[in-house]
Amino acid sequence: LKMHVAFTIDVDADVAWACEGKTCAVTKGKDEALFEASESGFVSLQALLEENGWPATLFFEARAAEAMNAGDKDLKNFEIACHGLAHEDFTGKDTGLKMKRGDKAAVLAEAKRKLEDVFPRHSISGFRAPYLHWDKELLELLLETGFLYDSSVTVAREREVDSPLPEVPLLEFEVAGKKKSSYLWQLMEGKYSVEEYLPFVAKALEENALVVLATHSWHLSRSVAKGELSDAQAKANEEKVRKVLNFAEESGAMFTSISDFLGVSLD
Ligand SMILES: [Zn+2]
């Protein structure tokens, strides 16, 4: 049985943070959305992936794709998927603002259309909810909008998620007394070392047909707790990603985009 890893990058605003009473996000501590760290981190990660021949799925916020002129980048080796229009909190959990069903549908359709404009050679099949905030209504709307899968749900082990469309979940479970997740967030924040994280990857590969790993491109050079990081710290974060992915490859995992794994690519 072949093990698979889908490395995914959420490309959104630097330290995208929910605003109270507004659906869209800004950069934490600012009154606007910045894309500098997101872009520079993306350039580093793209180079790392290409150097190793690793495919990946890029969940682009449509606003970020436009701000970064991402259509000018050569991304033919990558899957492009959707991470909202302007990093909406679709459930209103953090913003306190309940979006109407019609407003959510309009935002999803516009995000998909914008990404199709920016990336005319890609088909946009997948979706990941900003903040991983999802509910049944959002999943229904994704299907109605023409998305072919979602990757917003976190579970301890891959299983059938009760959803109207295929779900490619993120994983989270305890290893050596600490909860670890598909998201490299805590690793990037320095909450634990790469060595402490690798047993999570090993166990996840043992128990699941597809292991999704995820990071934000800005997380190389921005820390939620510490703010802007030095070039050396950004390089160290990039090395953490390299070590995790190298470990997966050395464990025998095959790298794939999510759409290729599901066989839903329409290109
Ligand atoms: Zn995000």
Side-chain angles (χ1 to χ4, degrees), residues 155-177:
V155 294
R157 198 185 287 209
E158 219 175 34
R159 58 172 168 79
E160 286 299 315
V161 177
D162 180 22
S163 171
L165 81 170
E167 177 60 39
V168 183
L170 297 151
L171 302 168
E172 183 177 86
F173 51 82
E174 215 169 271
V175 176

Side-chain angles (χ1 to χ4, degrees), residues 10-13 15-17 25 59 61 83 87 128-132 183 185 215-216 218:
D10 295 354
V11 189
D12 49 22
V15 200
W17 222 247
F59 287 93
E61 178 196 296
H83 189 50
H87 214 267
R128 176 171 292 152
Y131 321 104
L132 306 181
Y183 247 110
W185 185 284
T215 191
H216 288 87
W218 54 258

